[in-house]
């Protein structure tokens, strides 16, 4: 039974309307991230069920807010006032992403930047929150840590750095194993290979750059 003060959410289908690689990658990533934990940290507006009375009495979405993440702020506000958030993975929306490589990278940068700003203000930067998952945060941290070790290897020519790189990458894969399974379940072996390489070797760069930009923007607004 669902409580009358519950806000119910779903997510995107694993396979989007446009079935190219980058759109499919994004849809699987969101589908997995928004359904992996119960209760969820937020309810996405692309699949939210809420009564009109609750929505109106809560004040709805903040008009003076960031360009995105209004559903995250709204969900957190509702939860603080006693409402319960719950996910029904059978509630699915098929989305059109039209993602290319550039659009995928830009989306990662933009979301990471604004999510970092919001998380710093909300003091929950390490929270496992939907697509701002702990797996993604570890993935980005692993990428930049390995970048440092690669530079150290070429400078010192010490194979111990290579061993460290392999160990960090292996730990990252272990942390993200459920997402990797979701890639495989949705599209099979060839897709999981390319999706995992993209997720671990390319995608972390715009995520990390966006986070760094978000920190700088937050510090600038705080000083003002």
């Amino acid at each position: 039974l669902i409580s009358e003060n519950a806000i119910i959410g779903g997510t995107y289908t694993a396979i989007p309307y446009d079935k190219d690689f980058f759109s499919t990658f994004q849809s699987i990533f969101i589908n997995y991230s928004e359904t992996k934990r119960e209760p969820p940290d937020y309810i996405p507006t692309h699949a939210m069920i809420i009564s009109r009375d609750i929505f109106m009495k809560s004040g709805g979405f903040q008009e003076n807010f960031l360009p995105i993440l209004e559903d995250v702020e709204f969900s957190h506000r509702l939860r603080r006032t006693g409402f319960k958030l719950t996910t029904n993975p059978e509630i699915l929306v098929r989305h059109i992403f039209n993602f290319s490589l550039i659009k995928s990278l830009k989306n990662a940068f933009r979301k990471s930047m604004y999510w970092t700003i919001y998380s710093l203000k909300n003091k929950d930067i390490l929270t496992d929150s939907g697509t701002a998952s702990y797996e993604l945060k570890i993935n980005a941290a692993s990428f930049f840590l390995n970048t440092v070790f690669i530079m150290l290897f070429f400078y010192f020519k010490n194979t111990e750095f290579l061993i460290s790189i392999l160990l960090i990458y292996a730990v990252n894969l272990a942390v993200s194993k459920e997402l990797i399974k979701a890639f495989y379940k949705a599209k099979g072996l060839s897709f999981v290979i390319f999706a995992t390489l993209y997720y671990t070797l390319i995608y972390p760069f715009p995520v990390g750059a966006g986070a760094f930009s978000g920190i700088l923007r937050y510090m600038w607004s705080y000083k003002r």
Side-chain angles (χ1 to χ4, degrees):
L1 295 176
I2 301 296
S3 171
E4 62 181 12
N5 70 335
I7 313 302
I8 307 171
T11 187
Y12 290 139
T13 56
I15 307 301
Y17 181 83
D18 47 331
K19 299 178 177 63
D20 58 273
F21 173 80
F22 295 105
S23 296
T24 303
F25 169 87
Q26 190 69 20
S27 204
I28 296 171
F29 174 61
I30 294 174
N31 175 282
Y32 165 75
S33 300
E34 292 183 343
T35 59
K36 70 172 186 171
R37 55 175 289 179
E38 180 65 28
D41 185 58
Y42 68 89
I43 300 296
T45 47
H46 52 250
M48 177 185 287
I49 299 176
I50 183 173
S51 73
R52 181 183 183 279
D53 287 344
I54 293 176
F55 183 82
M56 298 302 293
K57 289 178 181 178
S58 68
F61 300 120
Q62 286 190 3
E63 294 185 11
N64 184 22
F65 191 63
L66 300 172
I68 59 174
L69 305 181
E70 69 285 345
D71 48 0
V72 178
E73 187 280 329
F74 181 62
S75 297
H76 289 172
R77 183 159 27 102
L78 287 171
R79 192 173 58 199
R80 285 195 297 268
T81 56
F83 290 96
K84 300 185 182 301
L85 310 181
T86 186
T87 297
N88 182 342
E90 295 183 3
I91 300 173
L92 297 170
V93 176
R94 192 177 299 277
H95 190 61
I96 302 173
F97 290 93
N98 286 328
F99 270 12
S100 61
L101 170 61
I102 298 302
K103 287 182 178 179
S104 177
L105 298 178
K106 284 183 176 179
N107 177 73
F109 177 88
R110 183 171 182 263
K111 281 196 171 182
S112 179
M113 179 180 67
Y114 285 119
W115 212 306
T116 300
I117 293 171
Y118 174 74
S119 294
L120 288 171
K121 291 180 179 179
N122 202 47
K123 296 180 175 60
D124 64 351
I125 194 73
L126 298 179
T127 298
D128 184 21
S129 178
T131 51
S133 62
Y134 77 91
E135 294 106 320
L136 182 63
K137 294 169 183 176
I138 291 175
N139 185 43
S142 299
F143 174 83
F144 285 97
L145 184 58
N146 269 345
T147 300
V148 173
F149 278 122
I150 289 171
M151 291 188 291
L152 289 173
F153 166 73
F154 281 109
Y155 184 81
F156 291 106
K157 307 298 182 182
N158 189 330
T159 55
E160 290 185 2
F161 291 117
L162 283 180
I163 296 172
S164 298
I165 291 167
L166 292 174
L167 286 174
I168 292 169
Y169 192 73
V171 170
N172 188 29
L173 290 178
V175 169
S176 298
K177 65 181 183 299
E178 294 302 322
L179 174 60
I180 295 170
K181 287 180 183 178
F183 288 143
Y184 178 77
K185 181 179 178 181
K187 290 288 289 183
L189 182 59
S190 60
F191 182 87
V192 73
I193 293 171
F194 287 106
T196 301
L197 291 174
Y198 177 63
Y199 176 73
T200 57
L201 300 179
I202 299 175
Y203 200 69
F205 181 75
V207 171
F212 182 69
S213 179
I215 292 171
L216 293 180
R217 287 196 175 202
Y218 174 79
M219 292 175 63
W220 174 254
S221 63
Y222 182 78
K223 287 181 178 180
R224 294 175 63 185

